[in-house]
Amino acid sequence: EFPHDPYLHAMEFFLNKETSRRHGCTTQAPIDILRYVPRHRLVFQAIALDHPNRPIIGKFMRPFAFKEAYARLVAVSQAVTSSSTSFSVANPIGIDAQYGLFFQEQMQGTVLSQLLNEKNYRDLLHTVGVIHRDLHGLHAPNVPDWDVRGFLQDVEWCIQWVSFLCPESAPFLQGVRNLLMARAPHIDPSAYTLCHGDFSIRQILKANDRWSVVDFDTCMRGDPYLEIAMVMAFLKYHVPLLRDRLIDPAPEGLDAIEEAGEAYLRGYQKRAQVGMKQKRLLWYRLGSEIQCLARMLRR
């Protein structure tokens, strides 16, 4: 029972203390739990004692993961500081190796998925494309490279999973699998860019005209087409407006889903000043849609 988590073993001790003073990061009760994934991570909000009006974010993670996640946050923060971007990121504040915990700045704003409506979703998603292209243009050399073999293995596993749960779709999915494996594009690690690792509109905050991107724990250097495809695959699940259209798929609802993806792509391409390679994007989109479906079914 919470907070007795064998993988996040120091969490109980820390949360039961009135205050915590570790490496210059002093926090006080109450602590608000923002997200808890058992045996994986806990994210909480607290107030810094040295700055009473300064909310900060703390993250407990598995012992083998938290140092690497914090190092990635540091690398991205340094990259944004030395560049001119359309967004900001959280600054790292401190790490506590004894407790598997690190602190970062809390960014202000509302999660973008809560702001999108019938009138503004095209314009706002166009801006998301601009932000995403700026992110891919950052130079952060100290993050790991993406493993394309892991992506292909995961797609195969997802096809098996969906086929098990939806056996009537198994022949079709096997055909998609054969097509993907036969038409895999050339992967050139020298063309990799910085990728967020889990980029979606749920990781974007908007406060008036200020934009922020959060949660760089899994950032990496990889093929930007993979991340673009993931954004397009998950839009219809992450945006309540589009999710409603998907549940009741009238023709105009499906048109809205396509228009949302196209608005995002236009923003990305305009910022990049170059068009996308459509076959390459389609290959990644097929794999991403399968991963997306498998994730929804697992949940």
Side-chain angles (χ1 to χ4, degrees):
E1 292 184 4
F2 181 83
H4 310 286
D5 191 319
Y7 281 75
L8 308 175
H9 54 83
M11 184 171 65
E12 178 187 5
F13 170 77
F14 184 93
L15 296 181
N16 283 342
K17 296 180 67 177
E18 288 276 333
T19 61
S20 175
R21 301 174 182 275
R22 314 297 304 177
H23 295 275
C25 303
T26 57
T27 64
Q28 64 181 2
I31 290 175
D32 294 326
I33 307 301
L34 303 180
R35 189 181 183 207
Y36 176 51
V37 182
R39 305 166 70 89
H40 185 65
R41 72 167 62 189
L42 177 137
V43 183
F44 65 90
Q45 178 188 22
I47 301 296
L49 286 175
D50 50 348
H51 293 86
N53 295 321
R54 181 193 188 192
I56 60 177
I57 298 295
K59 291 187 178 183
F60 285 101
M61 302 179 71
R62 292 184 180 186
F64 68 85
F66 77 98
K67 289 184 180 179
E68 183 174 331
Y70 189 74
R72 296 182 188 191
L73 175 62
V74 171
V76 172
S77 177
Q78 292 174 345
V80 170
T81 300
S82 60
S83 305
S84 176
T85 63
S86 52
F87 64 95
S88 57
V89 301
N91 291 316
I93 297 176
I95 185 170
D96 189 332
Q98 179 181 353
Y99 288 96
L101 167 69
F102 65 82
F103 294 96
Q104 65 187 49
E105 174 188 15
Q106 175 169 330
M107 307 306 293
Q108 301 301 310
T110 303
V111 177
L112 187 61
S113 58
Q114 301 175 17
L115 299 176
L116 295 173
N117 57 47
E118 186 70 44
K119 295 181 179 180
N120 65 18
Y121 77 91
R122 297 174 185 85
D123 291 338
L124 291 180
L125 288 174
H126 185 278
T127 303
V128 170
V130 172
I131 290 171
H132 205 185
R133 179 62 184 91
D134 282 353
L135 191 159
H136 285 162
L138 292 175
H139 180 61
N142 298 320
V143 299
D145 282 356
W146 171 58
D147 180 12
V148 63
R149 292 173 299 178
F151 172 75
L152 291 172
Q153 290 170 359
D154 187 67
V155 170
E156 289 210 61
W157 184 88
C158 288
I159 288 174
Q160 293 178 30
W161 178 261
V162 178
S163 297
F164 172 73
L165 293 174
C166 307
E168 69 281 0
S169 299
F172 169 74
L173 287 171
Q174 189 59 39
V176 174
R177 180 259 177 208
N178 294 339
L179 177 66
L180 286 172
M181 299 305 161
R183 300 292 183 90
H186 174 66
I187 306 296
D188 180 10
S190 67
Y192 282 179
T193 67
L194 175 68
C195 291
H196 181 280
D198 189 25
F199 188 85
S200 76
I201 62 167
R202 298 194 297 188
Q203 311 287 19
I204 301 173
L205 305 179
K206 185 176 186 296
N208 297 321
D209 293 331
R210 297 178 59 188
W211 297 74
S212 304
V213 182
V214 298
D215 202 7
F216 282 87
D217 297 354
T218 57
C219 71
M220 59 187 176
R221 291 183 67 257
D223 190 333
Y225 277 80
L226 168 65
E227 202 156 73
I228 293 167
M230 290 299 292
V231 171
M232 299 183 73
F234 276 90
L235 268 179
K236 56 185 171 291
Y237 297 103
H238 290 167
V239 180
L241 171 70
L242 302 180
R243 188 167 60 239
D244 291 343
R245 302 290 178 84
L246 184 65
I247 293 172
D248 183 18
E252 60 272 16
L254 297 180
D255 289 344
I257 293 173
E258 288 301 313
E259 289 174 5
E262 290 171 1
Y264 156 76
L265 270 184
R266 283 196 299 272
Y268 189 99
Q269 293 179 109
K270 183 176 181 180
R271 192 67 160 183
Q273 297 184 337
V274 64
M276 305 295 297
K277 298 177 181 177
Q278 294 302 318
K279 288 186 177 180
R280 188 181 190 89
L281 179 59
L282 177 60
W283 186 84
Y284 277 112
R285 281 198 67 181
L286 287 171
S288 298
E289 291 284 356
I290 291 169
Q291 288 181 319
C292 183
L293 178 58
R295 185 182 302 184
M296 295 300 112
L297 287 172
R298 286 202 302 269
R299 291 181 176 176

